[in-house]
Amino acid sequence: MKAISLGGRKSGRGGTLHVLGSDLAARIEAGETLLSAAVRGNIPFPHMCNVGECGTCKCRLVTGHIRLKRDISRHVTPEELSAGFVLACQSLAMSEDVAVEVPGMGRGRSTDPAPVQIDASVARVTPLAPGVLALEVDLAAEVRYVAGQVAQLTVPGAPGLGEPRCYSFAEAPARASPRRALFHVRHVPGGAFTDWLFAADRTGARLCFSGPHGGFRYHAADRPLLCVAGGTGLSPIKAILEQGIADGLACDVTLVVGARTQQDLYALDAITSLKERWRGRFAFVPVLSQEPEGSRWTGRKGHVTDYLCEVAAGHADRAAYVCGPPGMIDAVLDVLRGVIPPKHLHYDRFLDRGSAALGPSSAA
Ligand code: FES
């Protein structure tokens, strides 16, 4: 059966969306996106942005027909498209029944912790750098997640703050308290949530927590690691490296962090702690793109891609984890694709009001 039809006609009737290898299924209406049907049917389908920007909802269409809403080539190569890979949020059902394979889901149940929606409150807010806060949140129940995943936060009852904002967990799940979660939050001027958070002391404020979500996560693998972070993209990378320490990884790791100036480099104590606890060789490479001439900075200047272009060939045996704003991710992927095999190249785009025209699950 030809799985993907770019110009097909709707069947006119709804049908069923099946997640192969599991007992998960949901009603799907004709012309509805696969992701919309999955979410409505309480299938814990990995997703973040809903608008084709993050790539989290990539799955493989095995049976049925879909029509793509937009070009998905940024996340799906022509070879992958031929093999049936699509973005669930950009795939409209054109046949009654559709079956997909979803990475991380299968064998009767999702292998991911199931997302929960629970009450939460602001426990503590700590400045990390200009325009960046550590946000600690008390949770009404224990929450399980995989390092690299995200949670959605809303402020109930506050005008304009009901739209979910996605933030990565900034600690490995084996944290001190399973009822507390830590996030790094960058202020996005004009972003309702961060304008609210940065405007006053919000300790004790009520939040609504939903999570975990997202397909970016730690994969236990016996390969050296190349981690690349831009801005608060450091938060999931930190969680992943903490998980590697908890798992006793002894491979080499190179952590490349891009920032504008020295002031914008944050969590340096946490990086030093990671370096001290890591069992293998740990190289930390900060790269500053806008450090003023004449400063005392003796480290690298330029963009992270300048550094990666120099070293990529020597890192072909690595598993890469890349997290940051979309422009940085695209530039880094341009360097690393063709060097690191796709199955070892993991990335997460941080989306905000300044980086894309977004749907309801974006960060701001
Ligand atoms: Fe589909 Fe982001 S690309 S949820």
Side-chain angles (χ1 to χ4, degrees):
M1 170 182 275
K2 186 177 186 311
I4 300 171
S5 166
L6 294 176
R9 288 169 40 149
K10 290 184 228 175
S11 70
R13 291 184 302 198
T16 305
L17 168 69
H18 300 272
V19 177
L20 292 179
S22 81
D23 55 3
L24 298 169
R27 167 96 185 153
I28 189 164
E29 303 299 334
E32 183 180 20
T33 68
L34 308 189
L35 181 60
S36 167
V39 170
R40 186 166 36 73
N42 292 320
I43 294 176
F45 206 109
H47 71 285
M48 283 175 60
C49 72
N50 291 334
V51 292
E53 289 290 333
C54 70
T56 306
C57 65
K58 185 150 84 171
C59 59
R60 192 168 79 85
L61 184 67
V62 178
T63 58
H65 292 262
I66 59 97
R67 183 164 62 82
L68 294 173
K69 290 172 68 178
R70 60 175 276 190
D71 174 25
I72 59 171
S73 58
R74 185 194 285 182
H75 297 288
V76 179
T77 65
E79 296 75 27
E80 288 177 321
L81 192 63
S82 301
F85 284 95
V86 295
L87 298 181
C89 71
Q90 299 304 307
S91 300
L92 303 169
M94 307 300 285
S95 59
E96 289 180 16
D97 289 332
V98 177
V100 294
E101 286 176 347
V102 184
M105 297 176 70
R107 301 209 179 283
R109 301 236 164 258
S110 165
T111 54
D112 284 352
V116 295
Q117 278 209 347
I118 54 176
D119 291 335
S121 62
V122 176
R124 186 160 54 172
V125 174
T126 313
L128 293 175
V132 180
L133 295 176
L135 170 63
E136 288 177 75
V137 170
D138 279 331
L139 306 167
E142 294 188 4
V143 169
R144 295 174 54 234
Y145 61 89
V146 180
Q149 287 192 290
V150 302
Q152 294 179 338
L153 301 177
T154 53
V155 186
L161 293 171
E163 190 175 298
R165 312 299 195 222
C166 281
Y167 295 102
S168 299
F169 293 97
E171 285 180 311
R175 59 211 191 278
S177 169
R179 287 194 174 206
R180 185 166 278 201
L182 173 68
F183 307 97
H184 295 169
V185 180
R186 180 173 72 87
H187 187 201
V188 180
F193 181 80
T194 58
D195 278 352
W196 171 84
L197 183 65
F198 280 72
D201 178 4
R202 302 299 183 186
T203 306
R206 284 181 58 225
L207 300 172
C208 187
F209 170 102
S210 169
H213 300 289
F216 181 67
R217 83 270 316 275
Y218 169 77
H219 301 263
D222 194 15
R223 294 170 70 88
L225 302 180
L226 172 63
C227 298
V228 185
T232 50
L234 180 61
S235 54
I237 298 290
K238 171 179 172 285
I240 285 168
L241 291 173
E242 288 175 349
Q243 188 63 53
I245 290 169
D247 286 359
L249 291 189
C251 57
D252 289 355
V253 57
T254 301
L255 170 61
V256 185
V257 173
R260 285 171 300 182
T261 67
Q262 287 187 73
Q263 270 200 319
D264 299 311
L265 281 175
Y266 77 94
L268 293 175
D269 289 351
I271 292 171
T272 300
S273 170
L274 288 170
K275 192 170 179 175
E276 288 170 355
R277 290 181 291 150
W278 192 265
R279 290 177 56 198
R281 198 176 70 87
F282 191 112
F284 171 46
V285 184
V287 183
L288 303 182
S289 62
Q290 296 176 26
E291 182 67 6
E293 288 299 323
S295 83
R296 296 191 173 182
W297 177 250
T298 56
R300 294 194 68 103
K301 290 185 181 179
H303 296 282
V304 292
T305 45
D306 301 331
Y307 173 74
L308 292 174
C309 283
E310 289 177 26
V311 304
H315 287 62
D317 62 339
R318 303 234 169 180
Y321 292 89
V322 186
C323 190
M328 186 205 91
I329 296 289
D330 290 340
V332 169
L333 293 181
D334 281 348
V335 177
L336 296 185
R337 278 187 176 133
V339 178
I340 293 178
K343 71 175 182 176
H344 295 303
L345 188 50
H346 314 289
Y347 59 93
D348 190 10
R349 292 168 203 276
F350 267 24
L351 303 173
D352 59 40
R353 286 289 175 273
S355 57
L358 298 174
S361 304
S362 55

